[in-house]
Amino acid sequence: MAAEKLRCKECGSEYPLEALYVCERCFGPLEVAYAARGAGDVAALRRRIQAGPGDLWRYADFLPLAGGPPGPSNHLASRAGLPAGWTPLISADRLAERLGLRELWVKNDAANPTHSFKDRVVAVASARARELGFSALACASTGNLGNAVAAQAAALGLPSYVFIPADLEEQKVLGTGIYGSNVVSVRGNYDDVNRLCTEVAGEHEDWAFVNINMRPYYSEGSKTVAFEIVEQLGWELPDRCIVPVASGSLFTKVHRGFAEWLELGLVSGRQPALNGAQAKGCAPVANAFAAGQDFCQPVKPNTIAKSLAIGNPADGPYVLDLARRTGGGVDAVSDSQIRAGIKLLAETTGIFTETAGGVSVAVLSELARRGEIGRDERVVLLITGDGLKTLDAVRGSFEAHEIDPTLAAFEAALGQAVR
Ligand SMILES: [Zn+2]
């Protein structure tokens, strides 16, 4: 299934596989189009995937690289960069029981090299950037993407430029600068940062802005979440996925991943219902869904879920369409629900997620409470980042028992604790 061209999602105009992202005719977004592939030997294709490496390059057949995947069998081997993907899919029985669900799985993408799903998109974008001969990596980031770009650039021996809003969580800033990246802290929100980066990308043509001029390749990396879920469920589909929504790119690509494999016959059944999760403090897509609109009204973000704080989401209209067509939805939850969601996941699964994961858990809880999840459904909850990245959100959520170093003091404290 070789990548063949870039195609406009709106008008269908076609372009070569270069660093292009906007249609010249209608300003629509460009997406990678692949050569048609006949219904071949499904069993053989499955075996080929299963024999692949233990990272997202096992899905190289479905990713937009001209020269094949970086890896031991490729001349790019020594510049393969950080491997990403093939994260655990964990059965969450106790959380399911708490929410009254039959079958619940957590896809834990905090297990990636820089602890968020962004390592996937950066792995694909940077591999393609190398093929196209770029000399630096760059991005506009709400935090996690900056971590992933800085680390990947360090692994590849390339300079990097990471543009972030100035009010970002300290953990995410430190987790970028430590890799030797050039961190540019912009006085403004993410939408301001993104606008600035679009201008910078126009001036510095040898920089690969992974989520701007490399966006068509970058976003394809998100399909691998869907592929992994199918493979880890034993080549079966879930009935429903809960997906956090920032720009909406992950949501649309999870759909596309399932759709591509359904089309090829690699998996059978029906497209899973997709439920988008947003924070009430930045809910342009959830608002539009509730109002029955096809487009999003931009908002000024104000939420602890900063990695989802994109007030003008590029893929918003596509998310709305897919949420409706799959029988899903888009919901928003408050900051206190997000904090409760982080705690609930941690206490029932042993997974500590960042605020964006708290958004997903809280939306799942809401859907369960409203009875919108069928009794027999198999549900997958996407956890996209690690709790150590957003420690402020959970500060003060419990108290340690401070004691003198004596057994008596401990026993007294224990007595109080079980009171
Ligand atoms: Zn177009």
Side-chain angles (χ1 to χ4, degrees), residues 7-13 15 22-30:
R7 184 181 291 139
C8 174
K9 280 184 86 166
E10 290 299 320
C11 75
S13 295
Y15 299 86
V22 183
C23 177
E24 284 171 12
R25 285 188 203 146
C26 76
F27 300 105
L30 304 185

Side-chain angles (χ1 to χ4, degrees), residues 85-88 90 106-120 144 225 345 350-354 357 381-389:
W86 200 241
T87 58
I90 296 156
V106 173
K107 180 64 173 164
N108 185 17
D109 251 21
N112 276 301
T114 68
H115 317 288
S116 91
F117 92 99
K118 294 292 187 182
D119 289 311
R120 295 177 186 274
N144 285 325
V225 179
L345 184 75
I351 296 168
F352 178 25
T353 184
E354 68 157 317
L381 176 70
L382 256 64
I383 294 301
T384 48
D386 194 293
L388 294 174
K389 288 175 181 247

Side-chain angles (χ1 to χ4, degrees), residues 114-370:
T114 68
H115 317 288
S116 91
F117 92 99
K118 294 292 187 182
D119 289 311
R120 295 177 186 274
V121 285
V122 170
V124 176
S126 58
R128 182 62 186 148
R130 292 199 66 105
E131 286 187 341
L132 292 172
F134 283 95
S135 61
L137 299 184
C139 68
S141 174
T142 58
N144 285 325
L145 180 58
N147 296 170
V149 164
Q152 191 65 255
L156 293 168
L158 292 174
S160 64
Y161 300 85
V162 171
F163 295 74
I164 52 172
D167 72 340
L168 209 57
E169 296 98 339
E170 188 188 21
Q171 293 89 1
K172 286 182 180 164
V173 182
L174 293 174
T176 296
I178 194 65
Y179 298 109
S181 182
N182 299 288
V183 181
V184 185
S185 185
V186 179
R187 288 188 286 272
N189 61 29
Y190 174 77
D191 298 289
D192 298 321
V193 174
N194 194 42
R195 218 170 20 248
L196 170 64
C197 285
T198 306
E199 287 182 49
V200 176
E203 287 298 310
H204 296 264
E205 290 185 350
D206 54 339
W207 292 8
F209 271 85
V210 296
N211 58 338
I212 299 178
N213 53 6
M214 298 302 293
R215 192 169 185 84
Y217 310 101
Y218 159 96
S219 58
E220 285 287 283
S222 290
K223 292 189 308 191
T224 59
V225 179
F227 297 154
E228 285 177 24
I229 290 170
V230 169
E231 202 183 338
Q232 289 169 321
L233 287 174
W235 302 98
E236 288 184 11
L237 288 162
D239 297 304
R240 184 180 302 274
C241 290
I242 317 295
V243 185
V245 173
S247 74
S249 171
L250 174 62
F251 189 101
T252 64
K253 293 295 177 166
V254 165
H255 179 274
R256 186 167 174 182
F258 290 135
E260 282 182 0
W261 278 19
L262 274 164
E263 206 169 302
L264 277 175
L266 264 171
V267 65
S268 55
R270 61 180 286 268
Q271 173 70 232
L274 297 182
N275 284 87
Q278 293 207 296
K280 278 194 173 146
C282 183
V285 190
N287 295 344
F289 187 86
Q293 292 166 340
D294 300 332
F295 57 92
C296 300
Q297 208 70 40
V299 302
K300 265 224 170 339
N302 178 21
T303 168
I304 58 169
K306 291 181 183 165
S307 62
L308 301 183
I310 297 183
N312 190 10
D315 287 316
Y318 305 114
V319 171
L320 291 166
D321 176 48
L322 293 173
R324 290 183 179 120
R325 278 204 277 134
T326 60
V330 187
D331 282 270
V333 289
S334 69
D335 283 359
S336 64
Q337 285 177 297
I338 295 168
R339 288 195 183 88
I342 293 172
K343 202 153 192 284
L344 178 62
L345 184 75
E347 291 180 353
T348 56
T349 67
I351 296 168
F352 178 25
T353 184
E354 68 157 317
T355 44
V359 172
S360 297
V361 179
V363 164
L364 174 66
S365 302
E366 268 297 294
L367 295 173
R369 191 186 60 77
R370 298 202 305 248

Side-chain angles (χ1 to χ4, degrees), residues 48-60 69-72 86 231:
R48 185 177 146 83
I49 291 168
Q50 285 169 320
D55 59 42
L56 57 70
W57 296 119
R58 67 203 279 112
Y59 308 114
W86 200 241
E231 202 183 338

